[in-house]
Amino acid sequence: EDQVTQSPEALRLQEGESSSLNCSYTVSGLRGLFWYRQDPGKGPEFLFTLYSAGEEKEKERLKATLTKKESFLHITAPKPEDSATYLCAVQDDDYKLSFGAGTTVTVRA
Amino acid sequence: GAVVSQHPSRVICKSGTSVKIECRSLDFQATTMFWYRQFPKQSLMLMATSNEGSKATYEQGVEKDKFLINHASLTLSTLTVTSAHPEDSSFYICSAANRGRGEKLFFGSGTQLSVL
């Protein structure tokens, strides 16, 4: 069974204070690892897909990296608008996603 | 990017009634749709997978007679919560995929169901 563990559960940052979120996973036949952002009361918003170890992707202040066992989402110089819950998910060959519980990030001005 | 529309966004119903939630892919054909539920401060839990024109595949522990899924066309899937009870109150989210467009899933905005 695919398993995804995210840490920490919650992260409180000062504006401009960079940090990283961790996503550890076990999966048989990884098709891709996904990062999503979810705001309260809304569906997940796609951020990145990573397919192989060593891959990196960036979008504005976010950078995602992937190894064979985990992925990191780095937030550089965050702003209050980066406050959200960040979800990690692994996808198997049937396109089925298994989600982690998420990391709730709060950025204070 | 692709858009998935989910309706309604919020519904309040009495215990014992049935509620239908619609999920539409607006600009692509969704060969596969997934239904998730999410409890407060918890992650998304997959309930079922539906492929257009065939019966849905339910995850272990999900009652298929209670959560009826219909995927009659390539742009529409519906989830009907039958004889809803307070414990069915949750946030329900659909997602859609088109294998010809790669692995990325597109999510609806979710439906908050409250059963009184």
Side-chain angles (χ1 to χ4, degrees), chain B residues 40-62:
Chain B
K41 298 191 177 182
Q42 294 187 27
S43 189
L44 284 74
M45 297 300 297
L46 180 66
M47 297 175 65
T49 303
S50 71
N51 294 296
E52 186 265 339
S54 62
K55 290 185 178 180
T57 302
Y58 290 80
E59 295 298 301
Q60 193 171 10
V62 178

Side-chain angles (χ1 to χ4, degrees), chain A:
Chain A
E1 184 179 330
D2 302 340
Q3 288 194 330
V4 182
T5 304
Q6 289 188 248
S7 62
E9 287 186 18
L11 191 59
R12 296 177 68 85
L13 301 172
Q14 198 68 33
E15 184 172 5
E17 179 188 359
S18 301
S19 188
S20 293
L21 286 56
N22 177 266
C23 172
S24 300
Y25 65 91
T26 56
V27 64
S28 55
L30 178 70
R31 178 177 284 275
L33 184 141
F34 294 73
W35 282 98
Y36 289 88
R37 169 191 171 126
Q38 186 177 24
D39 293 303
K42 296 187 177 180
E45 175 188 338
F46 172 78
L47 293 175
F48 304 107
T49 309
L50 302 168
Y51 297 102
S52 57
E55 190 174 0
E56 297 183 353
K57 288 192 176 175
E58 288 189 67
K59 179 181 179 180
E60 296 181 353
R61 294 177 293 281
L62 301 177
K63 179 180 176 180
T65 61
L66 180 66
T67 72
K68 288 188 177 180
K69 294 183 178 181
E70 58 190 353
S71 177
F72 292 94
L73 183 66
H74 308 276
I75 308 178
T76 302
K79 297 182 178 181
E81 53 261 42
D82 295 322
S83 298
T85 296
Y86 291 86
L87 300 172
C88 169
V90 294
Q91 189 174 48
D92 64 20
D93 288 338
D94 290 327
Y95 290 85
K96 187 183 298 184
L97 280 178
S98 297
F99 281 86
T103 295
T104 299
V105 175
T106 304
V107 183
R108 303 186 301 273

